[in-house]
Amino acid sequence: MISVNQLTLSFGGFELFKEISFQLNEGERVGLVGRNGAGKTTLLKIIAGEMQPTSGRVSMPGSVSIGYLPQQMALPSGRSVMDETLMAFSETLELSRSIDKIGEELSGRNDYESAGYLQLINRLSELTDRFNLLDGGTANAKAEQTLLGLGFRRSDFDRTTGEFSGGWRMRVELAKILLRKPQVLLLDEPTNHLDIESIQWLEDYLKDYQGSLLLISHDRAFLDNVTQRTVELSLGKLYDYKVPYSQYVELHRLRREQQMAAYRNQQKVIEDTNDFIERFRYKATKSVQVQSRIKMLERMEIIEVDEDNTASVNIRFPSAPRSGDVVCEAKDVAKSFGSKKIFGGVNFTIERGQKVAFVGRNGEGKTTMSRIITGELSHEGSLRIGHNVAIGYFAQNQDELLDGSLTVLETIDRVAVGDIRTRMRDILGAFLFRGDDVDKKVSVLSGGERNRLALAKLMLQPYNLLVLDEPTNHLDMHSKEVLKSALMQYDGTAILVSHDRDFLDGLVGKVYEFSDGAVREHIGGIYDFLQRKKLESLKQLEHKARVDAQTTSSGNGSDLKRLWSERRELDREIRNMENSLKQVESKISAMENEIDDINRKLAEPDSHSINLSDSDFFAGYENKKRQLLDYMQRWEELSLKLEELKLKRNAL
């Protein structure tokens, strides 16, 4: 379907990648992986047509439709969430407008037998057939389902997109792309903008998606659940593995071992050759052999070894000062912002050494509770922090709190104390700050780089309670593994707000579920929590109550196809009823004008040459009044039926 042929991209003499080629076939789901800066996002932009390569080309049939979600984009504002989402159905919206326009035109005409009128009727029929073929009547239902799956509430649908953060507006753009159902999806870190429940919903959606998928993600579980093939960019080269991510990791390890063996063998050959050249360089009898070996070295293609993702860095948090047995205790904690209640009646106890997770959809209060624990927010009820507890807090905007005038190394140097100072560069290296990177000013770092620096800074300070709010955002696989390993060895207490299931797996022993204004405790890890609830995905925590309600009211709420069919049929009936009502209203208006004209003539019969003894005249007059009454009665009947249909539609 899409063929990448010998692509090369150069920047000022530096080659990001050179002569890479691969094929994305119909229906394939491919994960594009590699270290930060390897060129993954750039490659996706080239395939999407937003950048041009230095050489090579991307080939695809002209009819192929592509849906591309970048990491960042200019986001529209002004429309409501629902109206902006419905822009995905541009053709059906245009058809609907055309149908309404023709209906209005027909309602104003009474030349029912004319060629023009019949032409309009035929055009209306064609447009209606096309509208029905595209399932235009289900557009609202599909948009609603997708928005709910991506974490929006029904109350959000009428709010303007400008009221939401960039992350939520990116969800709207993702919804539009999914609703268009393109033949090829190009998704660059789509889970960055999603909570754990929405990620699960997107997984389920992509599993049923019939087109081709090329995906960049640092979410191991997401890659494993969605993709069957892994393409790696490394050192300007492309390596193709016909396996999901977890299997790729093992194959990558084997390939690197082979690379290292070949590299060591080549270095031995180079060393021996240079020794020979130096030993016999000035001996005339060996001049031919020396020159031969010099030329051999010049022709030799030096083997490059991929940068070691499993570097022998063993990062540990400083030993945590001993705290009391009870680190944090909440009793009937509640929080509201104005009239909006976030949660209430929250009770929990976190003990020394425990590692717990806060999970739930965005907006349920996970970050709010984190800020209450750290003392940033007031609250109702009682929240007690235990004896000798020192809290280290990593906020979602932690990167914005760094001093932009300092270098990376200076930022770390100001907080590092004791023996750990000797390992500052190792710690920075683990978070991808290597070589000259440590001398960069914080002000020139990207958001992701600042995020990683803030984490590295946190690892240097002796806290015994860590509250980490989405710490894995923007981290690549290796950095996540380093952080997870450090937390598993950490002897203090940790509260983790995260949507990364792989990161939480094996790390936490208790899950607090934030849902519907309450907080519920679940003993066990993240997957224990899912299994116990007998859920395939966390999204069902949100949807279960709604599905149950639909089941009660409709008799079979799980039959979504039937529900959509009913909605589509009702939308069609409503549209037809509205057109009929407009036609009747037009006839009423015309008849009222005719009767008014007769009344004016009757008021001055002599002026209009009316014979008051003409029985036919008055018979026609009375007939028009009866017709008007019939039209009025018909209008009333249609209005009542339309109201009933709308009430029935709103109830579905």
Side-chain angles (χ1 to χ4, degrees):
M1 177 171 286
I2 295 179
S3 180
V4 175
N5 304 301
Q6 299 292 303
L7 281 191
T8 296
L9 186 68
S10 303
F11 297 104
F14 169 75
E15 288 184 337
L16 186 60
F17 42 76
K18 182 179 180 181
E19 297 181 353
I20 61 172
S21 301
F22 74 98
Q23 187 91 15
L24 179 63
N25 300 312
E26 188 173 353
E28 276 194 316
R29 303 152 192 269
V30 180
L32 180 59
V33 302
R35 302 199 64 144
N36 289 356
K40 304 185 298 296
T41 292
T42 303
L43 178 57
L44 224 60
K45 287 181 178 179
I46 291 174
I47 296 173
E50 296 199 352
M51 284 185 66
Q52 294 299 316
T54 305
S55 62
R57 62 191 180 93
V58 177
S59 304
M60 68 185 78
S63 59
V64 170
S65 57
I66 292 179
Y68 172 50
L69 181 75
Q71 285 194 46
Q72 296 179 332
M73 62 184 299
L75 298 167
S77 60
R79 299 188 184 92
S80 71
V81 168
M82 178 57 75
D83 287 344
E84 184 62 42
T85 304
L86 288 174
M87 295 301 293
F89 302 99
S90 56
E91 184 178 357
T92 48
L93 289 175
E94 184 60 34
L95 286 169
S96 181
R97 284 192 288 267
S98 298
I99 290 170
D100 290 342
K101 185 178 179 180
I102 292 176
E104 291 176 3
E105 188 173 349
L106 288 172
S107 68
R109 299 178 61 160
N110 54 18
D111 54 334
Y112 308 121
E113 303 299 326
S114 69
Y117 192 91
L118 293 175
Q119 188 177 5
L120 284 175
I121 291 292
N122 290 333
R123 178 59 178 163
L124 180 63
S125 178
E126 292 173 1
L127 293 174
T128 303
D129 288 344
R130 176 63 178 170
F131 184 85
N132 292 332
L133 181 65
L134 295 173
D135 279 341
T138 67
N140 282 350
K142 291 176 180 176
E144 181 179 297
Q145 182 196 28
T146 303
L147 288 172
L148 290 171
L150 291 175
F152 288 93
R153 298 181 182 274
R154 294 182 188 276
S155 57
D156 295 329
F157 292 174
D158 294 328
R159 296 171 61 190
T160 62
T161 57
E163 298 178 46
F164 293 85
S165 67
W168 282 97
R169 289 160 71 185
M170 285 295 287
R171 295 191 192 201
V172 175
E173 293 304 306
L174 176 58
K176 288 161 62 178
I177 291 171
L178 297 180
L179 288 167
R180 291 188 184 110
K181 294 185 177 180
Q183 293 165 281
V184 179
L185 280 175
L186 306 176
L187 305 181
D188 193 350
E189 295 284 4
T191 61
N192 277 356
H193 317 291
L194 305 180
D195 53 42
I196 193 167
E197 300 151 37
S198 301
I199 290 173
Q200 290 273 190
W201 179 89
L202 182 60
E203 279 184 6
D204 293 341
Y205 179 93
L206 293 176
K207 286 175 183 177
D208 296 330
Y209 172 63
Q210 299 301 308
S212 303
L213 171 67
L214 184 59
L215 167 71
I216 298 174
S217 179
H218 288 144
D219 188 325
R220 183 192 298 264
F222 189 71
L223 283 170
D224 274 337
N225 292 334
V226 171
T227 64
Q228 305 107 3
R229 175 182 163 199
T230 304
V231 174
E232 178 194 10
L233 267 177
S234 179
L235 296 178
K237 299 178 182 178
L238 188 141
Y239 303 91
D240 198 344
Y241 301 85
K242 311 296 185 183
V243 295
Y245 182 81
S246 291
Q247 297 179 44
Y248 146 78
V249 171
E250 179 61 22
L251 294 176
H252 170 84
R253 183 186 64 79
L254 294 173
R255 176 173 64 80
R256 192 175 186 284
E257 288 178 356
Q258 294 170 352
Q259 279 186 332
M260 285 299 300
Y263 174 79
R264 285 193 291 267
N265 289 335
Q266 186 182 66
Q267 290 300 307
K268 183 65 167 64
V269 170
I270 292 172
E271 184 182 351
D272 292 344
T273 303
N274 281 325
D275 286 345
F276 181 90
I277 293 170
E278 290 301 319
R279 188 181 306 152
F280 301 109
R281 183 184 295 273
Y282 304 108
K283 292 191 176 183
T285 56
K286 298 288 186 179
S287 62
V288 175
Q289 294 94 320
V290 168
Q291 289 301 315
S292 175
R293 282 165 171 75
I294 290 173
K295 291 179 181 179
M296 181 189 74
L297 288 178
E298 291 173 350
R299 292 193 302 267
M300 184 178 293
E301 184 175 347
I302 302 300
I303 295 173
E304 292 183 301
V305 179
D306 296 343
E307 193 171 359
D308 190 0
N309 286 353
T310 59
S312 58
V313 179
N314 185 21
I315 303 300
R316 291 177 179 265
F317 283 96
S319 293
R322 184 178 177 85
S323 68
D325 290 340
V326 175
V327 173
C328 181
E329 184 177 36
K331 292 183 178 180
D332 294 323
V333 173
K335 182 62 183 178
S336 299
F337 291 102
S339 60
K340 180 176 176 61
K341 180 182 177 182
I342 307 301
F343 48 68
V346 176
N347 297 277
F348 61 76
T349 300
I350 299 174
E351 299 177 351
R352 185 180 68 248
Q354 287 186 326
K355 296 177 178 65
V356 305
F358 287 176
V359 303
R361 63 191 303 277
N362 288 349
E364 292 287 355
K366 303 184 299 295
T367 294
T368 299
M369 179 59 76
S370 300
R371 295 179 66 192
I372 289 174
I373 292 172
T374 60
E376 292 188 13
L377 289 177
S378 61
H379 60 89
E380 298 176 16
S382 171
L383 187 128
R384 182 174 68 89
I385 302 299
H387 173 68
N388 198 37
V389 172
I391 302 176
Y393 180 43
F394 181 90
Q396 289 193 40
N397 67 336
Q398 191 69 40
D399 60 291
E400 300 173 6
L401 306 178
L402 298 172
D403 188 343
S405 66
L406 300 179
T407 67
V408 170
L409 187 60
E410 287 170 344
T411 300
I412 296 298
D413 186 58
R414 293 203 173 186
V415 296
V417 294
D419 294 340
I420 203 165
R421 292 183 59 85
T422 62
R423 301 167 58 204
M424 290 191 302
R425 290 184 178 270
D426 285 344
I427 294 172
L428 289 172
F431 287 95
L432 307 180
F433 296 104
R434 300 184 175 92
D436 295 338
D437 291 341
V438 301
D439 296 320
K440 288 182 178 178
K441 293 285 188 181
V442 171
S443 58
V444 304
L445 299 179
S446 68
E449 288 172 325
R450 289 196 297 270
N451 203 55
R452 296 198 302 270
L453 179 59
L455 272 172
K457 180 181 176 183
L458 192 69
M459 295 183 70
L460 297 173
Q461 297 169 280
Y463 299 117
N464 51 22
L465 172 59
L466 295 176
V467 182
L468 309 182
D469 193 352
E470 299 291 1
T472 62
N473 280 353
H474 308 292
L475 296 186
D476 64 11
M477 301 289 192
H478 176 49
S479 298
K480 287 184 188 181
E481 290 170 2
V482 169
L483 178 61
K484 181 175 179 177
S485 176
L487 285 169
M488 291 183 73
Q489 299 174 67
Y490 175 55
D491 56 0
T493 309
I495 299 172
L496 303 168
V497 181
S498 179
H499 63 258
D500 193 321
R501 294 153 297 166
D502 185 70
F503 179 72
L504 294 175
D505 185 32
L507 179 57
V508 301
K510 186 184 293 184
V511 175
Y512 288 100
E513 172 199 348
F514 287 67
S515 178
D516 299 324
V519 179
R520 301 173 182 86
E521 181 182 276
H522 301 267
I523 305 299
I526 189 70
Y527 287 109
D528 293 328
F529 165 62
L530 295 176
Q531 186 176 9
R532 188 178 305 111
K533 299 284 287 187
K534 296 181 180 180
L535 301 173
E536 292 182 356
S537 63
L538 282 170
K539 71 175 177 67
Q540 295 182 27
L541 295 174
E542 174 194 352
H543 297 323
K544 187 176 185 298
R546 184 169 70 253
V547 172
D548 290 343
Q550 289 176 348
T551 301
T552 302
S553 62
S554 67
N556 186 12
S558 63
D559 191 357
L560 292 178
K561 289 185 178 179
R562 182 191 59 78
L563 185 62
W564 291 342
S565 178
E566 288 182 12
R567 286 176 172 173
R568 180 176 61 190
E569 181 63 22
L570 283 170
D571 286 337
R572 186 188 65 80
E573 291 182 24
I574 289 171
R575 188 168 59 254
N576 291 339
M577 194 68 67
E578 288 174 339
N579 287 334
S580 298
L581 199 61
K582 288 178 181 178
Q583 292 179 18
V584 173
E585 288 173 348
S586 177
K587 291 176 180 178
I588 290 173
S589 179
M591 192 61 66
E592 286 177 337
N593 289 335
E594 290 182 23
I595 292 173
D596 287 343
D597 186 56
I598 294 174
N599 288 333
R600 283 194 299 274
K601 291 178 178 179
L602 288 171
E604 300 178 356
D606 295 337
S607 304
H608 298 88
S609 302
I610 296 177
N611 185 1
L612 298 179
S613 61
D614 186 356
S615 61
D616 290 339
F617 174 81
F618 284 99
Y621 178 46
E622 291 299 322
N623 185 55
K624 290 183 184 296
K625 289 195 290 184
R626 282 194 299 272
Q627 284 182 337
L628 178 61
L629 288 174
D630 290 341
Y631 286 140
M632 294 293 290
Q633 185 176 356
R634 177 61 176 163
W635 182 89
E636 186 174 353
E637 292 173 355
L638 290 173
S639 296
L640 288 172
K641 288 182 179 179
L642 179 61
E643 188 64 26
E644 289 174 1
L645 288 171
K646 287 183 175 180
L647 289 172
K648 189 176 180 180
R649 174 62 176 82
N650 292 335
L652 291 178

